[in-house]
Amino acid sequence: MTDTATIAKIEMSERAAERIHAILAGEAEAKALRLSVDGGGCSGLQYAYTVETEPKADDIVVERDGARLVVDSISAAYIAGARVDYVEDLMGQSFRVENPNATASCGCGSSFSV
């Protein structure tokens, strides 16, 4: 696993940690939630989430209160310095990435451009 000290810190809020715990509780083999950046969405790039059984060798692992969020090194370059939160509002419930590298994003916050 990549040392997070060598990459700009990715932060996880307490609410995000609580939600990750809830998601993983329903998955027998799950040990982490993966956040990745994929091409697509209305702004060019989009966030994707999957459940992981084990982090990969080059993953950055963000931990808070026992919750684990993993990010591959390529995606980490797009979200360096970001804060991952979990919100419930009129639009629904979702993880929200407060990404200092995004130059534009869509209205729902699930896609962005750099």
Side-chain angles (χ1 to χ4, degrees), residues 50-107:
T50 55
V51 173
E52 287 291 323
T53 56
E54 280 297 324
K56 296 183 178 39
D58 69 336
D59 282 343
I60 291 135
V61 178
V62 180
E63 293 189 53
R64 179 173 183 152
D65 302 328
R68 295 173 85 191
L69 179 73
V70 295
V71 181
D72 65 274
S73 58
I74 294 171
S75 295
Y78 290 101
I79 60 172
R83 181 173 189 272
V84 179
D85 196 7
Y86 183 76
V87 297
E88 296 179 27
D89 57 21
L90 294 175
M91 297 281 292
Q93 304 169 351
S94 65
F95 286 100
R96 181 163 299 152
V97 180
E98 298 165 10
N99 187 348
N101 306 298
T103 57
S105 64
C106 66

Side-chain angles (χ1 to χ4, degrees), residues 100-114:
N101 306 298
T103 57
S105 64
C106 66
C108 67
S110 64
S111 70
F112 67 102
S113 61
V114 290

